[in-house]
Amino acid sequence: MIGRLWYPQLDIYDAIRRMAGLLTLWSPVKPPSQERLFIADFYLANPPLLHNTHMPSEVRRHFRDLKVPRPGQEFVSYPSAPILFQKMDEVQRQAFRTLSGKGLIDLDQLEQGTVRPSAGGAELFESKFLSLFSESEHQLASFLVSEFAPTDREIAAVRRSTGLRRLVR
């Protein structure tokens, strides 16, 4: 029997699920930019790599409470975060285009530089996608949205703490 490993980082359907869940957790009053959404999605797909980021001590304390294993403690070995982030680029973009093309993203807000679910998208994300998160994934997503990459934190600070940057096309 031949086995095959599945990598959620390279699965468009899983990227759609993760992004929809993240957008549900972000406040509609302060929605994220596309780049911030992609960075949060990256760490939701690769939580052990959060250990290699810079965080204020209070945020780091909350992160430790999540008990995310370190990169060396898992079966999968990870490349550097910037390399994997670039590898995920097309998968994330295609997932985002799918959400936008299905009318699940508010296009007027997108033109202004922020990503907010449309009215139909918000309802669908809440009822169908967020329920697909495990308890630990939900806690991690909440941490990413509220403490690690909140919208009131400058995107330049998020870039510096993670070493990740992606231009929006």
Side-chain angles (χ1 to χ4, degrees):
M1 180 173 149
I2 297 175
R4 177 181 277 174
L5 288 177
W6 171 71
Y7 296 101
Q9 303 92 331
L10 305 177
D11 185 334
I12 293 168
Y13 297 108
D14 197 58
I16 290 170
R17 178 189 69 85
R18 291 189 313 263
M19 286 184 199
L22 285 166
L23 287 171
T24 301
L25 295 173
W26 248 300
S27 166
V29 178
K30 287 186 151 189
S33 65
Q34 190 174 350
E35 181 181 13
R36 189 179 306 265
L37 174 64
F38 286 173
I39 290 171
D41 174 64
F42 172 79
Y43 285 109
L44 186 57
N46 306 290
L49 294 177
L50 277 164
H51 286 283
N52 301 334
T53 63
H54 301 285
M55 297 179 212
S57 60
E58 184 65 25
V59 175
R60 178 71 65 183
R61 192 172 312 118
H62 290 146
F63 172 64
R64 281 191 205 111
D65 292 342
L66 296 174
K67 298 189 180 355
V68 173
R70 292 194 166 274
Q73 296 173 330
E74 287 198 319
F75 172 73
V76 176
S77 63
Y78 291 91
S80 72
I83 290 173
L84 187 53
F85 190 57
Q86 291 309 315
K87 180 86 170 158
M88 287 178 64
D89 179 58
E90 188 53 37
V91 172
Q92 287 180 318
R93 289 188 191 282
Q94 193 167 354
F96 189 78
R97 282 191 302 268
T98 299
L99 290 171
S100 300
K102 298 279 184 193
L104 301 174
I105 301 294
D106 185 335
L107 298 179
D108 293 333
Q109 282 294 132
L110 189 58
E111 286 179 11
Q112 296 175 17
T114 58
V115 180
R116 181 186 299 166
S118 64
E123 184 180 316
L124 182 69
F125 293 171
E126 179 81 33
S127 65
K128 300 290 183 193
F129 287 88
L130 197 56
S131 63
L132 296 175
F133 277 21
S134 67
E135 181 59 34
S136 62
E137 198 172 29
H138 192 280
Q139 289 175 356
L140 178 62
S142 295
F143 167 78
L144 290 168
V145 166
S146 64
E147 297 187 58
F148 184 73
T151 53
D152 58 352
R153 186 174 175 210
E154 293 284 327
I155 190 66
V158 175
R159 290 175 187 146
R160 277 192 309 275
S161 70
T162 62
L164 304 179
R165 179 184 178 98
R166 184 172 301 151
L167 297 175
V168 178
R169 297 181 237 160

